[in-house]
Amino acid sequence: MADRTDKHPLNAPGTYYNDNSCIDCDVCREMAPAIFRRDDESGASYVWRQPQSLAELALAREAMENCPTETIGCDG
Ligand code: SF4
């Protein structure tokens, strides 16, 4: 379960977030490139943009469910 007290500092404000446990596996960025991006400095993914449509919400949820480290969280 993602830790909402340890969010990546670059997350776009909103429902979805990444904590700081990312191992840079690339799954979320492959699944939802419009939502997740890599921060080269921390070597980790963060929520670059919140999902805007039902299709993007489904992709964000899918990425969350497939993240091997449960880095992706959802407050909704
Ligand atoms: S799927 Fe999880 S571990 Fe992999 S890059 Fe995304 S946030 Fe990091």
Side-chain angles (χ1 to χ4, degrees), residues 1-2 11 15 19 23 25 28-29 33-36 39 42 46 53 58 61 63-64 67 71 73 75-76:
M1 188 175 180
N11 288 318
T15 306
D19 70 17
I23 58 169
C25 78
C28 62
R29 302 187 300 257
I35 298 166
F36 300 98
D39 169 37
S42 61
Y46 65 98
S53 64
R61 166 91 30 195
M64 183 171 73
C67 172
T71 296
D75 281 333

Side-chain angles (χ1 to χ4, degrees), residues 26-45:
D26 207 27
V27 165
C28 62
R29 302 187 300 257
E30 282 283 320
M31 277 186 176
I35 298 166
F36 300 98
R37 293 237 169 129
R38 183 178 194 275
D39 169 37
D40 290 337
E41 197 167 309
S42 61
S45 288

